[in-house]
DNA sequence: AGTTGCATGTAAGAGGTTACATGATTTC
DNA sequence: GAAATCATGTAACCTCTTACATGCAACT
Protein backbone atom coordinates (compact mmCIF):
# COMPACT_ATOMS: atom_id res chain seq x y z
CA UNK A 1 0.00 0.00 0.00
CA UNK A 2 1.56 3.27 -1.12
CA UNK A 3 0.84 6.82 0.05
CA UNK A 4 -1.59 7.53 -2.77
CA UNK A 5 -3.69 4.51 -1.74
CA UNK A 6 -3.93 5.85 1.81
CA UNK A 7 -4.72 9.28 0.37
CA UNK A 8 -7.71 7.78 -1.43
CA UNK A 9 -8.87 6.15 1.80
CA UNK A 10 -8.50 9.55 3.53
CA UNK A 11 -10.87 11.19 1.07
CA UNK A 12 -13.30 8.26 1.25
CA UNK A 13 -13.42 8.56 5.06
CA UNK A 14 -15.51 11.74 4.58
CA UNK A 15 -17.53 11.06 1.42
CA UNK A 16 -18.26 8.15 -0.88
CA UNK A 17 -16.85 9.14 -4.26
CA UNK A 18 -16.15 7.95 -7.79
CA UNK A 19 -12.60 7.41 -9.02
CA UNK A 20 -13.04 10.50 -11.15
CA UNK A 21 -13.97 12.65 -8.15
CA UNK A 22 -11.13 11.22 -6.07
CA UNK A 23 -8.72 12.14 -8.86
CA UNK A 24 -9.99 15.73 -8.84
CA UNK A 25 -9.96 16.22 -5.07
CA UNK A 26 -6.60 14.69 -4.31
CA UNK A 27 -4.68 17.00 -6.70
CA UNK A 28 -3.70 19.72 -4.17
CA UNK A 29 -2.03 17.22 -1.84
CA UNK A 30 -0.95 14.40 -4.12
CA UNK A 31 -1.18 15.06 -7.88
CA UNK A 32 -2.26 11.92 -9.75
CA UNK A 33 -3.88 11.02 -13.08
CA UNK A 34 -6.95 8.84 -13.43
CA UNK A 35 -4.80 6.11 -15.00
CA UNK A 36 -3.01 5.74 -11.69
CA UNK A 37 -6.09 5.90 -9.50
CA UNK A 38 -8.38 3.37 -11.20
CA UNK A 39 -5.99 0.41 -10.82
CA UNK A 40 -5.32 1.36 -7.17
CA UNK A 41 -9.06 1.41 -6.43
CA UNK A 42 -9.34 -2.09 -7.91
CA UNK A 43 -6.48 -3.22 -5.62
CA UNK A 44 -8.06 -1.56 -2.58
CA UNK A 45 -11.32 -3.32 -3.37
CA UNK A 46 -9.56 -6.72 -3.59
CA UNK A 47 -7.99 -6.05 -0.19
CA UNK A 48 -11.42 -5.22 1.24
CA UNK A 49 -10.49 -1.61 2.10
CA UNK A 50 -13.17 -0.15 -0.16
CA UNK A 51 -16.40 -1.32 -1.79
CA UNK A 52 -18.41 0.18 -4.64
CA UNK A 53 -21.89 0.32 -6.13
CA UNK A 54 -22.56 0.62 -9.85
CA UNK A 55 -24.62 3.73 -10.60
CA UNK A 56 -26.05 3.74 -14.16
CA UNK A 57 -26.53 7.19 -15.67
CA UNK A 58 -28.39 8.12 -18.84
CA UNK A 59 -26.83 11.44 -19.83
CA UNK A 60 -23.32 10.71 -18.51
CA UNK A 61 -21.30 7.46 -18.45
CA UNK A 62 -22.18 4.97 -15.71
CA UNK A 63 -20.09 5.30 -12.57
CA UNK A 64 -18.76 3.33 -9.61
CA UNK A 65 -19.27 5.02 -6.26
CA UNK A 66 -16.63 3.83 -3.76
CA UNK A 67 -17.00 3.76 0.02
CA UNK A 68 -14.60 3.02 2.87
CA UNK A 69 -15.08 -0.33 4.65
CA UNK A 70 -14.29 -1.12 8.31
CA UNK A 71 -11.09 -2.81 7.15
CA UNK A 72 -10.19 0.35 5.22
CA UNK A 73 -10.90 2.55 8.22
CA UNK A 74 -8.61 0.47 10.43
CA UNK A 75 -5.82 0.58 7.82
CA UNK A 76 -6.28 4.36 7.59
CA UNK A 77 -6.04 4.86 11.36
CA UNK A 78 -2.89 2.74 11.56
CA UNK A 79 -1.30 4.74 8.74
CA UNK A 80 -1.99 8.05 10.49
CA UNK A 81 0.00 6.82 13.49
CA UNK A 82 3.03 5.88 11.35
CA UNK A 83 5.97 8.28 10.72
CA UNK A 84 5.13 10.84 8.03
CA UNK A 85 7.33 11.63 5.03
CA UNK A 86 8.53 15.21 4.53
CA UNK A 87 6.65 17.12 1.82
CA UNK A 88 8.34 17.10 -1.59
CA UNK A 89 7.94 19.97 -4.05
CA UNK A 90 9.20 19.88 -7.62
CA UNK A 91 9.32 23.41 -9.01
CA UNK A 92 10.65 23.94 -12.52
CA UNK A 93 10.15 27.69 -12.16
CA UNK A 94 12.52 27.85 -9.17
CA UNK A 95 15.22 26.11 -11.23
CA UNK A 96 14.81 28.74 -13.92
CA UNK A 97 14.84 31.60 -11.42
CA UNK A 98 18.14 30.31 -10.07
CA UNK A 99 19.83 31.22 -13.38
CA UNK A 100 17.44 33.98 -14.46
CA UNK A 101 20.46 36.22 -15.20
CA UNK A 102 20.92 34.23 -18.43
CA UNK A 103 17.94 35.96 -20.06
CA UNK A 104 16.95 39.61 -20.52
CA UNK A 105 15.06 41.63 -17.92
CA UNK A 106 12.06 41.76 -20.26
CA UNK A 107 11.99 37.98 -20.63
CA UNK A 108 12.41 37.52 -16.88
CA UNK A 109 9.56 39.94 -16.22
CA UNK A 110 7.32 38.07 -18.66
CA UNK A 111 8.01 34.80 -16.82
CA UNK A 112 7.23 36.38 -13.47
CA UNK A 113 3.95 37.87 -14.64
CA UNK A 114 2.93 34.47 -16.04
CA UNK A 115 3.71 32.76 -12.76
CA UNK A 116 1.89 35.47 -10.83
CA UNK A 117 -1.17 34.94 -13.05
CA UNK A 118 -1.01 31.26 -12.26
CA UNK A 119 -0.90 31.97 -8.51
CA UNK A 120 -3.79 34.45 -8.82
CA UNK A 121 -5.90 31.82 -10.56
CA UNK A 122 -5.09 29.35 -7.80
CA UNK A 123 -6.07 31.96 -5.21
CA UNK A 124 -9.40 32.63 -6.91
CA UNK A 125 -10.06 28.90 -7.01
CA UNK A 126 -9.25 28.37 -3.33
CA UNK A 127 -11.19 31.47 -2.33
CA UNK A 128 -14.26 30.07 -4.08
CA UNK A 129 -13.76 26.74 -2.31
CA UNK A 130 -13.59 28.66 0.94
CA UNK A 131 -16.86 30.45 0.24
CA UNK A 132 -18.51 27.15 -0.62
CA UNK A 133 -17.31 25.78 2.72
CA UNK A 134 -18.77 28.76 4.57
CA UNK A 135 -22.17 28.10 2.96
CA UNK A 136 -21.94 24.36 3.65
CA UNK A 137 -21.22 24.81 7.36
CA UNK A 138 -23.97 25.48 9.91
CA UNK A 139 -21.54 27.20 12.27
CA UNK A 140 -18.74 29.73 11.69
CA UNK A 141 -15.67 27.87 10.40
CA UNK A 142 -13.49 29.12 13.27
CA UNK A 143 -15.73 27.21 15.66
CA UNK A 144 -15.34 23.84 13.89
CA UNK A 145 -13.94 21.12 16.14
CA UNK A 146 -11.36 18.53 15.05
CA UNK A 147 -13.90 15.70 14.84
CA UNK A 148 -16.36 17.56 12.59
CA UNK A 149 -16.42 16.55 8.94
CA UNK A 150 -15.51 19.96 7.47
CA UNK A 151 -12.57 20.57 9.83
CA UNK A 152 -9.91 19.01 7.58
CA UNK A 153 -11.18 20.93 4.58
CA UNK A 154 -11.14 24.19 6.48
CA UNK A 155 -7.66 23.97 7.96
CA UNK A 156 -6.08 22.75 4.71
CA UNK A 157 -7.73 25.55 2.74
CA UNK A 158 -6.29 28.05 5.20
CA UNK A 159 -2.88 26.46 4.79
CA UNK A 160 -3.07 26.65 1.00
CA UNK A 161 -4.28 30.26 1.01
CA UNK A 162 -1.54 31.41 3.37
CA UNK A 163 1.13 29.76 1.26
CA UNK A 164 -0.34 31.30 -1.89
CA UNK A 165 -0.16 34.74 -0.27
CA UNK A 166 3.51 34.12 0.50
CA UNK A 167 4.08 33.16 -3.15
CA UNK A 168 2.17 36.17 -4.46
CA UNK A 169 4.05 38.57 -2.18
CA UNK A 170 7.29 37.08 -3.43
CA UNK A 171 6.20 37.64 -7.05
CA UNK A 172 5.36 41.28 -6.34
CA UNK A 173 8.72 41.77 -4.65
CA UNK A 174 10.54 40.09 -7.55
CA UNK A 175 8.78 42.31 -10.07
CA UNK A 176 9.95 45.39 -8.17
CA UNK A 177 13.51 43.98 -8.30
CA UNK A 178 13.39 43.69 -12.10
CA UNK A 179 12.35 47.29 -12.73
CA UNK B 1 16.17 15.92 -21.86
CA UNK B 2 13.98 16.00 -18.76
CA UNK B 3 13.52 18.76 -16.18
CA UNK B 4 16.08 17.32 -13.79
CA UNK B 5 18.73 17.42 -16.53
CA UNK B 6 18.04 21.12 -17.11
CA UNK B 7 18.09 21.64 -13.35
CA UNK B 8 21.61 20.22 -13.23
CA UNK B 9 22.65 22.57 -16.03
CA UNK B 10 21.11 25.46 -14.06
CA UNK B 11 23.30 24.73 -11.05
CA UNK B 12 26.37 24.23 -13.23
CA UNK B 13 25.81 27.65 -14.85
CA UNK B 14 27.01 29.20 -11.57
CA UNK B 15 29.60 26.72 -10.24
CA UNK B 16 31.44 23.67 -11.46
CA UNK B 17 30.37 20.86 -9.19
CA UNK B 18 30.57 17.12 -8.57
CA UNK B 19 27.54 14.87 -9.01
CA UNK B 20 27.43 14.56 -5.24
CA UNK B 21 27.29 18.33 -4.74
CA UNK B 22 24.64 18.69 -7.45
CA UNK B 23 22.54 16.07 -5.66
CA UNK B 24 22.78 18.05 -2.41
CA UNK B 25 22.03 21.47 -3.88
CA UNK B 26 19.12 20.55 -6.11
CA UNK B 27 17.06 19.02 -3.25
CA UNK B 28 14.99 22.14 -2.36
CA UNK B 29 13.70 22.56 -5.93
CA UNK B 30 13.79 19.07 -7.36
CA UNK B 31 14.42 16.21 -4.90
CA UNK B 32 16.59 13.50 -6.48
CA UNK B 33 18.90 10.69 -5.34
CA UNK B 34 22.47 10.24 -6.53
CA UNK B 35 21.39 7.10 -8.40
CA UNK B 36 19.28 9.28 -10.66
CA UNK B 37 21.83 12.07 -11.11
CA UNK B 38 24.96 10.08 -12.05
CA UNK B 39 23.41 8.45 -15.14
CA UNK B 40 21.96 11.81 -16.25
CA UNK B 41 25.40 13.46 -15.97
CA UNK B 42 26.83 10.71 -18.17
CA UNK B 43 24.09 11.40 -20.72
CA UNK B 44 24.66 15.16 -20.56
CA UNK B 45 28.35 14.56 -21.14
CA UNK B 46 27.65 12.39 -24.21
CA UNK B 47 25.46 15.18 -25.59
CA UNK B 48 28.26 17.69 -25.03
CA UNK B 49 26.26 19.78 -22.54
CA UNK B 50 28.77 19.23 -19.72
CA UNK B 51 32.41 18.17 -19.38
CA UNK B 52 34.35 16.93 -16.37
CA UNK B 53 37.84 16.63 -14.94
CA UNK B 54 38.97 13.77 -12.71
CA UNK B 55 40.21 15.07 -9.38
CA UNK B 56 42.10 12.42 -7.37
CA UNK B 57 41.84 12.80 -3.61
CA UNK B 58 43.86 10.98 -0.93
CA UNK B 59 41.60 11.23 2.13
CA UNK B 60 38.26 11.11 0.28
CA UNK B 61 37.22 9.15 -2.84
CA UNK B 62 38.31 10.62 -6.18
CA UNK B 63 35.75 12.89 -7.80
CA UNK B 64 34.58 14.20 -11.18
CA UNK B 65 34.09 17.95 -11.32
CA UNK B 66 31.53 18.85 -13.98
CA UNK B 67 31.31 22.15 -15.87
CA UNK B 68 28.78 23.61 -18.29
CA UNK B 69 29.88 23.75 -21.96
CA UNK B 70 28.78 26.31 -24.57
CA UNK B 71 26.39 23.70 -25.97
CA UNK B 72 24.97 23.23 -22.47
CA UNK B 73 24.58 26.97 -21.97
CA UNK B 74 22.61 27.31 -25.21
CA UNK B 75 20.35 24.39 -24.27
CA UNK B 76 19.79 26.01 -20.86
CA UNK B 77 18.82 29.38 -22.35
CA UNK B 78 16.39 27.75 -24.76
CA UNK B 79 14.77 25.82 -21.92
CA UNK B 80 14.25 28.98 -19.85
CA UNK B 81 12.21 30.46 -22.71
CA UNK B 82 9.93 27.40 -22.94
CA UNK B 83 6.59 27.15 -21.05
CA UNK B 84 7.10 26.21 -17.40
CA UNK B 85 5.26 23.43 -15.59
CA UNK B 86 3.24 24.28 -12.49
CA UNK B 87 4.91 23.33 -9.21
CA UNK B 88 3.85 19.95 -7.80
CA UNK B 89 3.85 19.21 -4.08
CA UNK B 90 3.26 15.78 -2.58
CA UNK B 91 2.43 16.14 1.10
CA UNK B 92 1.58 13.03 3.09
CA UNK B 93 0.99 15.13 6.20
CA UNK B 94 -1.78 17.13 4.48
CA UNK B 95 -3.55 13.86 3.59
CA UNK B 96 -3.42 12.85 7.25
CA UNK B 97 -4.63 16.25 8.44
CA UNK B 98 -7.64 15.92 6.15
CA UNK B 99 -8.93 13.05 8.28
CA UNK B 100 -7.25 14.01 11.58
CA UNK B 101 -10.58 13.57 13.36
CA UNK B 102 -9.98 9.80 13.19
CA UNK B 103 -7.37 9.99 15.96
CA UNK B 104 -7.33 11.47 19.47
CA UNK B 105 -6.51 15.12 20.18
CA UNK B 106 -3.32 14.00 21.95
CA UNK B 107 -2.17 12.02 18.92
CA UNK B 108 -3.05 14.90 16.60
CA UNK B 109 -1.10 17.32 18.78
CA UNK B 110 1.91 15.00 18.74
CA UNK B 111 1.84 14.93 14.93
CA UNK B 112 1.62 18.71 14.73
CA UNK B 113 4.51 19.26 17.11
CA UNK B 114 6.63 16.82 15.08
CA UNK B 115 5.82 18.63 11.86
CA UNK B 116 6.52 21.99 13.50
CA UNK B 117 9.92 20.69 14.64
CA UNK B 118 10.63 19.68 11.08
CA UNK B 119 9.75 23.16 9.80
CA UNK B 120 11.86 24.80 12.53
CA UNK B 121 14.86 22.70 11.49
CA UNK B 122 14.30 23.74 7.88
CA UNK B 123 14.12 27.37 8.96
CA UNK B 124 17.38 27.12 10.92
CA UNK B 125 19.01 25.55 7.89
CA UNK B 126 17.80 28.24 5.48
CA UNK B 127 18.65 31.01 7.95
CA UNK B 128 22.21 29.70 8.12
CA UNK B 129 22.37 29.60 4.31
CA UNK B 130 21.16 33.20 4.32
CA UNK B 131 23.91 34.27 6.73
CA UNK B 132 26.51 32.52 4.60
CA UNK B 133 25.20 34.42 1.57
CA UNK B 134 25.49 37.73 3.42
CA UNK B 135 29.14 36.98 4.21
CA UNK B 136 29.83 35.84 0.64
CA UNK B 137 28.43 39.00 -0.94
CA UNK B 138 30.45 42.23 -1.20
CA UNK B 139 27.30 44.34 -1.28
CA UNK B 140 24.03 44.23 0.70
CA UNK B 141 21.84 41.46 -0.73
CA UNK B 142 18.97 43.88 -1.45
CA UNK B 143 21.23 45.67 -3.92
CA UNK B 144 22.07 42.54 -5.95
CA UNK B 145 21.12 42.84 -9.62
CA UNK B 146 19.56 40.06 -11.68
CA UNK B 147 22.76 39.32 -13.59
CA UNK B 148 24.95 38.90 -10.50
CA UNK B 149 25.86 35.33 -9.53
CA UNK B 150 24.32 35.38 -6.04
CA UNK B 151 20.98 36.86 -7.15
CA UNK B 152 19.24 33.53 -7.81
CA UNK B 153 20.39 32.17 -4.48
CA UNK B 154 19.17 35.24 -2.65
CA UNK B 155 15.68 35.45 -4.13
CA UNK B 156 15.04 31.71 -3.79
CA UNK B 157 16.14 31.73 -0.17
CA UNK B 158 13.73 34.57 0.51
CA UNK B 159 10.97 32.58 -1.19
CA UNK B 160 11.72 29.48 0.89
CA UNK B 161 11.89 31.44 4.15
CA UNK B 162 8.59 33.22 3.53
CA UNK B 163 6.84 29.97 2.73
CA UNK B 164 8.32 28.37 5.84
CA UNK B 165 6.97 31.23 7.94
CA UNK B 166 3.53 30.63 6.44
CA UNK B 167 3.81 26.92 7.35
CA UNK B 168 5.03 27.67 10.87
CA UNK B 169 2.24 30.17 11.50
CA UNK B 170 -0.25 27.57 10.33
CA UNK B 171 1.23 25.01 12.77
CA UNK B 172 0.93 27.48 15.67
CA UNK B 173 -2.66 28.24 14.70
CA UNK B 174 -3.47 24.51 14.42
CA UNK B 175 -1.99 23.83 17.85
CA UNK B 176 -4.23 26.51 19.35
CA UNK B 177 -7.21 24.81 17.65
CA UNK B 178 -6.41 21.48 19.31
CA UNK B 179 -6.27 22.80 22.85
C1' DA C 1 -17.47 22.07 -35.73
C1' DG C 2 -14.35 21.73 -31.77
C1' DT C 3 -13.47 21.69 -26.95
C1' DT C 4 -14.57 20.64 -22.18
C1' DG C 5 -16.57 17.71 -18.66
C1' DC C 6 -18.11 13.28 -17.09
C1' DA C 7 -16.59 8.47 -16.54
C1' DT C 8 -13.98 4.23 -16.93
C1' DG C 9 -10.11 1.44 -18.18
C1' DT C 10 -5.31 -0.53 -20.20
C1' DA C 11 -0.41 -0.43 -22.04
C1' DA C 12 3.97 1.45 -22.79
C1' DG C 13 7.47 4.12 -21.32
C1' DA C 14 9.72 7.65 -18.48
C1' DG C 15 10.87 9.11 -13.86
C1' DG C 16 12.20 8.06 -9.21
C1' DT C 17 13.44 5.02 -4.98
C1' DT C 18 15.69 1.32 -2.70
C1' DA C 19 19.23 -1.74 -2.42
C1' DC C 20 23.78 -3.45 -3.53
C1' DA C 21 28.82 -2.46 -3.93
C1' DT C 22 33.24 -0.16 -2.22
C1' DG C 23 36.18 2.40 1.08
C1' DA C 24 38.61 6.01 3.86
C1' DT C 25 37.93 9.68 7.47
C1' DT C 26 35.62 11.99 10.98
C1' DT C 27 32.33 12.51 14.55
C1' DC C 28 29.31 10.60 18.43
C1' DG D 1 32.24 0.56 18.00
C1' DA D 2 28.58 2.79 15.09
C1' DA D 3 27.01 6.23 12.22
C1' DA D 4 27.68 10.06 9.08
C1' DT D 5 30.16 12.35 5.20
C1' DC D 6 32.38 12.13 0.86
C1' DA D 7 32.17 9.93 -3.73
C1' DT D 8 30.85 7.05 -7.58
C1' DG D 9 28.18 3.66 -9.97
C1' DT D 10 24.51 -0.25 -11.32
C1' DA D 11 20.18 -3.17 -11.01
C1' DA D 12 15.68 -4.08 -9.63
C1' DC D 13 11.61 -2.30 -8.52
C1' DC D 14 7.88 0.92 -7.82
C1' DT D 15 5.53 5.26 -9.22
C1' DC D 16 3.82 8.35 -12.48
C1' DT D 17 2.80 10.25 -17.17
C1' DT D 18 1.35 9.81 -21.80
C1' DA D 19 -1.20 7.70 -25.13
C1' DC D 20 -4.87 4.76 -26.72
C1' DA D 21 -9.88 3.48 -26.44
C1' DT D 22 -15.00 4.79 -26.00
C1' DG D 23 -19.11 7.83 -25.88
C1' DC D 24 -22.67 11.33 -24.76
C1' DA D 25 -23.96 16.18 -23.40
C1' DA D 26 -23.11 20.93 -22.96
C1' DC D 27 -20.92 24.94 -24.21
C1' DT D 28 -18.24 28.21 -27.57
Amino acid sequence: MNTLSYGLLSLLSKNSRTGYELMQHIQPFWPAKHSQIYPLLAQLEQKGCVEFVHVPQSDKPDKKVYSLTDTGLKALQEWIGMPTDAPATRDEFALKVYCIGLVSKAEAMKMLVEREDYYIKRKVHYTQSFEKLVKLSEKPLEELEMDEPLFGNYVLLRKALHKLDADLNWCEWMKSKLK
Side-chain angles (χ1 to χ4, degrees), chain A residues 29 31-32 39 46 60 72 117 121 126 145:
Chain A
F29 320 116
Q46 279 195 329
K60 296 173 196 171
D117 282 351
K121 271 174 199 149
Y126 281 129
E145 292 286 321

Side-chain angles (χ1 to χ4, degrees), chain A residues 13-151:
Chain A
S13 74
K14 304 266 175 170
N15 303 101
S16 293
R17 291 191 182 281
T18 66
Y20 192 84
E21 286 174 324
L22 287 167
M23 181 264 292
Q24 292 179 313
H25 288 90
I26 209 163
Q27 296 304 318
F29 320 116
W30 203 277
K33 316 279 177 185
H34 70 270
S35 53
Q36 197 180 2
I37 287 170
Y38 290 128
L40 286 183
L41 283 172
Q43 272 179 233
L44 287 168
E45 200 252 325
Q46 279 195 329
K47 282 175 187 148
C49 291
V50 300
E51 55 192 13
F52 68 88
V53 281
H54 272 285
V55 179
Q57 297 184 121
S58 49
D59 52 334
K60 296 173 196 171
D62 296 355
K63 59 186 179 183
K64 291 180 176 180
V65 177
Y66 285 88
S67 310
L68 194 66
T69 62
D70 285 351
T71 309
L73 179 61
K74 271 169 204 158
L76 186 51
Q77 281 170 322
E78 271 176 48
W79 168 70
I80 295 173
M82 303 274 289
T84 308
D85 281 346
T89 301
R90 290 200 163 80
D91 191 349
E92 190 177 14
F93 187 72
L95 292 170
K96 291 185 177 182
V97 167
Y98 180 75
C99 54
I100 195 74
L102 294 178
V103 299
S104 67
K105 266 195 178 178
E107 217 174 316
M109 184 59 95
K110 194 189 139 212
M111 288 167 64
L112 259 171
V113 171
E114 269 172 34
R115 180 48 57 114
E116 196 182 22
D117 282 351
Y118 164 78
Y119 284 139
I120 289 170
K121 271 174 199 149
R122 295 272 75 208
K123 184 163 182 176
V124 169
H125 178 258
Y126 281 129
T127 304
Q128 285 169 351
S129 304
F130 202 90
E131 281 156 16
K132 272 181 203 162
L133 247 196
V134 171
K135 279 172 194 160
L136 226 72
S137 178
E138 321 95 32
K139 58 169 85 172
L141 297 179
E142 314 88 55
E143 287 170 26
L144 282 173
E145 292 286 321
M146 204 182 91
D147 56 346
E148 291 180 273
L150 297 180
F151 181 83

Side-chain angles (χ1 to χ4, degrees), chain A residues 105 109 174-179:
Chain A
K105 266 195 178 178
M109 184 59 95
M174 273 298 277
K175 278 164 69 185
S176 74
K177 295 238 91 181
L178 297 188
K179 270 172 196 158

